[in-house]
Amino acid sequence: MQQNESFISDIETYASLMFTKEEIAVILEVDPVELKGLLQERESPAFKAFQRGRLKREAEVRKGIFDLAQNGSSPAQAFAMKIIENAKLDDL
């Protein structure tokens, strides 16, 4: 499987759209088993791109939640508090 810059960029893009590893393999027309193996190698550029895509999208969603919470949305405030509590527990 060729891992050029375009391939790595595509992985990040599709990961940010929350496609599964298997769905990304279908889109990129590569062997799903081979891609899954590649995405488990923590030092590979593909693994890092996949994680970066997922985390950047999660950050955007969290920002939206915090923005809604600051503007008075009770459900967003409750969810924001859960995010804060989980972050604090993880920091221990």
Side-chain angles (χ1 to χ4, degrees):
M1 182 178 320
Q2 189 176 1
Q3 297 182 53
N4 58 33
E5 203 172 302
S6 174
F7 179 78
I8 300 302
S9 177
D10 286 346
I11 288 176
E12 182 175 342
T13 297
Y14 295 129
S16 76
L17 296 171
M18 299 300 163
F19 283 106
T20 65
K21 293 172 183 177
E22 187 155 335
E23 290 169 334
I24 294 171
V26 170
I27 293 167
L28 297 177
E29 298 179 339
V30 297
D31 178 42
V33 174
E34 196 174 342
L35 182 63
K36 284 181 184 180
L38 185 62
L39 295 177
Q40 290 176 349
E41 296 174 18
R42 298 184 77 78
E43 295 304 315
S44 78
F47 173 87
K48 293 175 183 178
F50 184 84
Q51 294 299 316
R52 188 171 47 251
R54 290 281 171 100
L55 291 170
K56 282 182 175 181
R57 180 64 65 189
E58 184 177 346
E60 290 172 4
V61 171
R62 285 182 181 210
K63 182 181 180 326
I65 290 167
F66 282 104
D67 289 346
L68 288 170
Q70 274 190 301
N71 289 324
S73 167
S74 293
Q77 288 170 344
F79 197 67
M81 287 307 299
K82 284 183 183 180
I83 292 171
I84 292 167
E85 289 168 11
N86 286 341
K88 286 182 179 179
L89 286 175
D90 190 54
D91 288 342
L92 295 177

